[in-house]
Amino acid sequence: MSFEYHEPPSVSEAVALAARFGSEARFLAGGTDLIVQINRGKLAPRHVVSLHRVPGLDTIAVDGHVTLGALVTHRALERSPHFQGRYRGLVEGAQVVGGHQVRNVGTVGGNIVNASPAADVVPVLLALDAAVTCLGPEGERTLPLEEFLVGPGQTQRRPEELLTTVRFPLLGPNSATAFLKAGRRKAMEISVVCVAARMTLDAGLERCREARIALGAVAPTTLRARAAEHVLEGEVPRAELLRRAGALAARACQPISDVRASSQFRRLLVETLVPRVLARCLERIREEGR
Amino acid sequence: MRKLPLSLTINGETHELLAEPHHPLLEVLRTQLGLIGTKENCLEGECGVCTVLLDGMAVNSCLLLAAQCQGRRIVTIEGLGGPETLHPLQETFVEHGAVQCGYCIPGMILAAKAYLDQNPEPTEGEIREALSGNLCRCTGYQKILDAVLAAAGVLAPMR
Ligand SMILES: Cc1cc2nc3c(=O)[nH]c(=O)nc-3n(C[C@H](O)[C@H](O)[C@H](O)COP(=O)(O)OP(=O)(O)OC[C@H]3O[C@@H](n4cnc5c(N)ncnc54)[C@H](O)[C@@H]3O)c2cc1C
Ligand code: FES
Ligand code: FES
């Protein structure tokens, strides 16, 4: 079960190693998914390419966009002064990933590439219309996160590609995000269901201009609930409408039954959490408007 | 696989050793260096008994490859204080009877240290959250919380 270990000092050398070893290689970021999977015998890479010496991938840049390097840790997201306001949903997603030991090393890039349907930061990024950039021997390509995610543990990433950044547009005024998670206990728990939302209201803070709702742990990939988004857009988001959005979101998901919860219970959670997470966005927008 | 020559700085001392590429730091600490204060249990990041400080941060040494630790500072429970020179956290754990079987305690103390270093005046709720990655099978959580709160009271004025 052993492997050969590499620690390239640059992005280009990391990509060159991945190109040389193809699907026999795996990148190692925080290791909180990869090492567990290797120990369980689920993965047996012949080459492990650690990224901890690669510079420049751990920065958070806010200019015309927000750009997160793939090696930004959950801890760094939680603490970033950029995300305490309109982007609060990102902090809420990052905050519930494992305990401090996991968040100190676990990365955004690992959360995305691991492609667990229960990943907690991914739904918030989906609600923010994020796109991911991969670098391979032939150059860079950028694709919407939603397209990038293919199935449990599966993405569009080619084995020789390094995920370098994830980027999303800046949120304008009258916008907010929020995230909620249901687990079997309060801390250190994989999501039974998690939901993220973003809402933008018109200038008079009356009608919903744009809505995004993303659901985790209810389908093979993190899922956008489009019908629920559409029912909100252009309308006055009263409590009754939020409940309708919840019902539509519950209809959009295809949850499994497993040791954590039954499929029906997961649907019920979606129906309950979606109106709540939307209401939280509305509260935040109104607070900011005051 | 070929063993890797590694140079690791642990508790301020540099050790030259050979390790398998897949060996976690935990294994090197316990089997090669005899630093058995760091405990071993789930090996999946769930319980925190293997917690060490990596450049001042609490991390699970069961999920960290020894090879990844070169050029970084590792502190284990042995580096915090010995029988004659207890760290204030170790003292308050003794005073509050926070130790039952003791298995979780090295990890608890190091996780608490990393947290207090950054947040010298925490609330009880914040300490609970900071220790959520550490399980105590003897379930002595309340006394552990009391001990960490007391240590915060001792440490804060020393900063
Ligand atoms: C105890 C415990 C609790 C957890 N709880 C949660 C939780 O509540 N919510 C949650 O969402 N997750 C949870 N996780 C899972 C994990 O911590 C997160 O998914 C984390 O973000 C993974 O990041 P990493 O840097 O550790 O990834 P790694 O394990 O290093 O990598 C994961 C995968 O991504 C690949 N990869 C990593 N970076 C790149 C890159 N830049 N380019 C290409 N490929 C890359 C790796 O090859 C590997 O296949 C938990 C894990 C543990 C051990
Ligand atoms: S042994 Fe490392 S977290 Fe349990
Ligand atoms: S004191 Fe026994 S496990 Fe905590």
Side-chain angles (χ1 to χ4, degrees):
Chain A
M1 68 91 112
S2 198
F3 44 73
E4 230 173 280
Y5 174 80
H6 310 266
E7 40 180 54
S10 67
V11 166
S12 58
E13 280 162 88
V15 172
L17 283 165
R20 194 162 124 215
F21 302 121
S23 52
E24 296 201 325
R26 284 278 169 166
F27 290 115
L28 171 64
T32 59
D33 281 316
L34 184 66
I35 301 297
V36 172
Q37 288 159 4
I38 291 176
N39 289 348
R40 287 184 183 172
K42 277 198 191 160
L43 282 180
R46 301 269 296 274
H47 297 271
V48 166
V49 180
S50 176
L51 298 173
H52 77 280
R53 290 200 192 283
V54 175
L57 290 181
D58 60 353
T59 50
I60 298 177
V62 180
D63 36 49
H65 280 81
V66 178
T67 309
L68 308 175
L71 295 185
V72 167
T73 60
H74 299 300
R75 205 79 185 117
L77 277 187
E78 270 179 84
R79 293 192 174 176
S80 168
H82 296 298
F83 303 142
Q84 308 302 323
R86 289 174 193 161
Y87 304 93
R88 184 84 204 152
L90 258 186
V91 173
E92 291 170 325
Q95 242 167 11
V96 297
V97 175
H100 283 218
Q101 290 91 331
V102 169
R103 302 208 288 281
N104 279 337
V105 296
T107 63
V108 173
N111 203 237
I112 294 172
V113 175
N114 189 58
S116 158
D120 286 314
V121 175
V122 171
V124 191
L125 292 171
L126 266 191
L128 286 163
D129 289 337
V132 296
T133 299
C134 290
L135 179 69
E138 264 102 65
E140 261 187 8
R141 59 184 184 127
T142 296
L143 60 172
L145 175 58
E146 192 179 14
E147 258 173 53
F148 185 71
L149 302 170
V150 176
Q154 287 182 315
T155 68
Q156 294 264 14
R157 189 186 72 90
R158 301 179 192 124
E160 66 278 13
E161 281 179 323
L162 175 72
L163 177 70
T164 52
T165 54
V166 48
R167 160 194 287 238
F168 46 88
L170 288 180
L171 290 182
N174 310 328
S175 301
T177 57
F179 169 91
L180 288 172
K181 163 172 178 166
R184 285 176 311 175
R185 51 182 175 155
K186 261 197 191 148
M188 294 291 287
E189 186 54 63
I190 293 179
S191 284
V192 167
V193 160
C194 58
V195 301
R198 166 167 71 86
M199 183 116 75
T200 303
L201 297 185
D202 62 12
L205 299 190
E206 255 179 51
R207 283 173 192 276
C208 169
R209 270 195 20 212
E210 201 170 50
R212 289 287 182 279
I213 299 169
L215 312 173
V218 295
T221 62
T222 310
L223 195 71
R224 281 262 306 271
R226 283 204 165 66
E229 296 171 358
H230 287 154
V231 79
L232 292 162
E233 289 175 345
E235 302 296 325
V236 179
R238 293 187 222 288
E240 184 198 309
L241 190 66
L242 303 191
R243 280 199 298 275
R244 245 181 83 207
L248 286 169
R251 213 178 291 165
C253 56
Q254 320 130 40
I256 54 165
S257 294
D258 64 8
V259 290
R260 289 196 180 77
S262 69
S263 151
Q264 290 115 301
F265 183 52
R266 285 198 160 92
R267 259 186 229 277
L268 207 64
L269 282 171
V270 168
E271 195 167 342
T272 316
L273 292 180
V274 164
R276 257 188 231 169
V277 80
L278 291 168
R280 197 163 281 196
C281 288
L282 288 173
E283 273 163 37
R284 287 179 181 170
I285 296 171
R286 294 191 174 126
E287 259 165 41
E288 196 196 79
R290 244 182 261 138
Chain B
M1 276 305 145
R2 204 159 36 90
K3 285 195 175 178
L4 301 173
L6 300 180
S7 164
L8 301 180
T9 306
I10 297 160
N11 303 329
E13 233 178 274
T14 303
H15 301 264
E16 313 285 337
L17 48 90
L18 288 173
E20 299 276 344
H22 68 276
H23 275 176
L25 176 65
L26 174 61
E27 177 146 349
V28 168
L29 290 175
R30 290 182 56 88
T31 60
Q32 293 202 42
L33 300 175
L35 293 170
I36 54 173
T38 308
K39 302 301 180 209
E40 172 177 336
N41 177 34
C42 69
L43 302 179
E44 298 208 337
E46 292 283 346
C47 73
V49 303
C50 65
T51 301
V52 299
L53 304 184
L54 174 69
D55 294 332
M57 302 182 295
V59 300
N60 292 318
S61 64
C62 67
L63 297 183
L64 182 70
L65 300 180
Q68 290 173 281
C69 298
Q70 290 204 93
R72 299 160 103 176
R73 279 178 302 118
I74 309 285
V75 174
T76 68
I77 192 67
E78 291 89 347
L80 205 61
E84 262 78 69
T85 52
L86 291 182
H87 184 274
L89 270 161
Q90 293 168 318
E91 270 175 6
T92 57
F93 268 64
V94 173
E95 281 162 15
H96 284 78
V99 181
Q100 296 184 61
C101 81
Y103 205 76
C104 70
I105 300 298
M108 287 284 181
I109 288 183
L110 288 173
K113 163 146 177 36
Y115 186 76
L116 293 182
D117 282 346
Q118 305 232 349
N119 308 274
E121 290 171 46
T123 62
E124 184 176 322
E126 285 165 349
I127 296 174
R128 254 176 218 281
E129 198 276 324
L131 298 181
S132 62
N134 295 77
L135 298 181
C136 175
R137 64 187 176 185
C138 304
T139 68
Y141 292 108
Q142 188 56 47
K143 291 189 170 174
I144 290 172
L145 287 174
D146 294 344
V148 177
L149 264 177
V154 176
L155 284 164
M158 289 162 59
R159 270 164 225 276

